[in-house]
Amino acid sequence: MFSPLVNLVNDLAFGPDKRKVKQYLDTTTRETVYSDLGKALASQLRSFKAQELLRTTFDKYAIEVPAGRKFWTEESFRSHIRNTYSDAVISDAAVRLLWRSFNFYAHHPFPTPLLQLRHVSIDFDAFQRAVLLTAFQSDELLGTCEFDWHWREDAAFFRRAGFARMFSSIAQVSISPEPQQQVDAGAASAFSDAMDVLVMVCPLFINAVPSQAQLEPVVKRLFAEGLSVVRQQLVRHDDLSTLVDLLVRLQLHQQKWSSSYYFGDIVKADCGNQGITAALVDFLASNTRGENVTVQHLSEAIDFLPNILLRFQHLWTILFQPTESTTITESPLADVKLAGISGAISLFAPQIELGRGGQRNKQQDTRITLEVASQATQHSEETTTLRPAWALLDASSAHVVLFTTGVNVTPKTIVGGYFPSSLEESAHVLFQLQPTFRLLHWAKTKVSLVDLIKTEVKLPTEGTVASAVSNSPYWIGDPMELGTGLRINPEKKTVSLIKGAEGCYAEVPVSSGKDNTNKRWDVTIQDARLDMFVIAGAGVNKKS
C-alpha cells in the first residue's frame, strides 16, 4: 500500500534529474557527443601554457580552406613530426601508422572507416580530443563520472578497454573481409566505448546515472547516423613491430615542460635494439610471425606488459612537447644501446605506479634510467666476482643485473633480473630479453634478497672481496636451488637462466591459455659480460 507513495516521493525528489538525463539522451547527436566530450577533457588542461601549446601547434601546420576554417590532414601531421624527427628516427611507415592512430582517437567514440583515412581532415576540436586522450593520458578517464568513479563497478574492465583502444588505433583494413568473430568483437568494443562516453557527457546526478538499458538504444541510434562506425580488430605484424620499436627507443628526461610532463626524445633506429624489438613482438604475437594478430589477443598484454599503454601515451607526449626549449640536457644514458634495454624493462617493471582512474594529482611516467652501480667496476666484462650478489644486498635502491654474450657473438643473448629495493612492495622479476623474450615473476610471499642468494662461501662485506671468494659459484633465485634462478659460475665464466618445473616462480605464458608451469628450460651464456645498474627515475614507485 506504500508503493505508490514511495514512487511519488521518488518522482518529486529525483524525477526532474532523471528527465534531464532522458532529454539529453533522446536528443543528443554525434556532434553534440564530440563537443561535450571535448569540453569534459579540456577541463584537464589546467595550465595556460598547455592550452597555448595545442593551439599554436595546430595553427602552425593547419590547412586553411576558403571559408576560413582550419584543418589538419595527414600532410599536416607529417610536417609536425618532421619538424623534429628525421626518417632515421621515425620512418615514413611509422608516421603513417601514428596518423592512423591519431585519427582513431580524434574521432572517438565514432572512429572513421580506415578506407577513408586519406580524405580525413581534423578540425581543432578533434585535434584537441586526440592529444588529450593520448599525450595528456586522459584515456583513463573514459567511463568515469565526475572524473572520480567508474559507472560500472569494474576498474579492470576499463583498463583493458584502454589497451584495446590502443591496439585498435593501429589496426588496418585487411584486403579480405575480417572473420565474423572479429567483426562482432570490434562492434562490441565500439558499442561499449560509446556508452562510456555518454555517461561522461550527459547531465550527471548521483541518483540519476543512466543504466545500460537506457544507453543501449541511444548508442544504436547514434551508430546508425552518418558514416558507419568501424573498429578494426586485426593488427599487421609489421605495424606491431613499428609501434613496439618506437616504444623501446623513446626516453624520458629529468626536465619537465609542465608540472606533470617530462621532456623526452627517441633514439635513432639503428641503435642496435632490433633484437629486443623482435623478441617483444614475437612474444606479443605468440610467435605468429608474418600473420595478423587480433586486438583481443594483444590486449592480453595487460597481464604481462602492464605499462605498455602508459608507454604509448608517453610517446605521444614526446611528439607534442614544446620544441622551443634550449636548456634540455642530453639523455642520462651514456650508451644509447641501453635505451632498448631500459625501454623494454619499462614495459614490465613492477615498481611503476599505474593510475586507477579518477582525479589525478600527477601523471604517471615510465622513466626507467639505468645508472651504473657503484659496485660495478670498470671490469664489467668479468663475471668472476660476487659483486652482483653483494650489490643486491644494498636494499636502498632497485637494481638490474644483466648478463650478455660478447659483442661478436650471434645470436645475442641477454638474461638478467630486476630486483626492487626493500622499500618497494613489488616482487622481483627474472627475464630474458634476447633472442627470446621471457618473464619469470616471483609467485610467493615477499622474500628477502638475502634468501635468494646462495653461495659456497660467506658473502663478503664492502671492500673485502678477495680473489678466492670472487671465483666461488653462486645462485640467485629459488631458495631451495632446485627450481628457477640464475646460476653463475665465475671460474667457467658461464651464466645460466634456469626454469624449473615447479617452485617459487611463475613464467608469463606466451599466449593466453598456455600453461608453462611444468615446462623446463635453460639458457646458458658462455664468456658472459656482466653489467649492474641502479634503477633511477620517478616511474619507480618508492614507499616512504
mmCIF file of all heavy atoms in Angstrom, residues 28 127 320:
data_model
loop_
_atom_site.group_PDB
_atom_site.id
_atom_site.type_symbol
_atom_site.label_atom_id
_atom_site.label_comp_id
_atom_site.label_asym_id
_atom_site.label_seq_id
_atom_site.Cartn_x
_atom_site.Cartn_y
_atom_site.Cartn_z
ATOM 1 N N THR A 28 20.585 13.881 -28.145
ATOM 2 C CA THR A 28 21.998 14.032 -28.485
ATOM 3 C C THR A 28 22.309 13.463 -29.857
ATOM 4 O O THR A 28 21.637 12.543 -30.349
ATOM 5 C CB THR A 28 22.881 13.356 -27.419
ATOM 6 O OG1 THR A 28 24.237 13.759 -27.616
ATOM 7 C CG2 THR A 28 22.809 11.831 -27.522
ATOM 8 N N PHE A 127 41.349 17.545 -33.095
ATOM 9 C CA PHE A 127 42.779 17.532 -32.799
ATOM 10 C C PHE A 127 43.006 17.560 -31.286
ATOM 11 O O PHE A 127 43.801 16.775 -30.739
ATOM 12 C CB PHE A 127 43.430 18.747 -33.462
ATOM 13 C CG PHE A 127 44.840 19.033 -33.029
ATOM 14 C CD1 PHE A 127 45.925 18.421 -33.653
ATOM 15 C CD2 PHE A 127 45.095 19.931 -31.992
ATOM 16 C CE1 PHE A 127 47.225 18.694 -33.255
ATOM 17 C CE2 PHE A 127 46.398 20.205 -31.586
ATOM 18 C CZ PHE A 127 47.456 19.588 -32.224
ATOM 19 N N PHE A 320 54.315 15.755 -28.937
ATOM 20 C CA PHE A 320 53.648 17.056 -28.839
ATOM 21 C C PHE A 320 54.248 17.940 -27.747
ATOM 22 O O PHE A 320 53.610 18.895 -27.309
ATOM 23 C CB PHE A 320 52.142 16.858 -28.599
ATOM 24 C CG PHE A 320 51.401 16.464 -29.832
ATOM 25 C CD1 PHE A 320 51.096 15.139 -30.083
ATOM 26 C CD2 PHE A 320 51.033 17.412 -30.782
ATOM 27 C CE1 PHE A 320 50.424 14.754 -31.242
ATOM 28 C CE2 PHE A 320 50.362 17.046 -31.943
ATOM 29 C CZ PHE A 320 50.063 15.712 -32.177
#
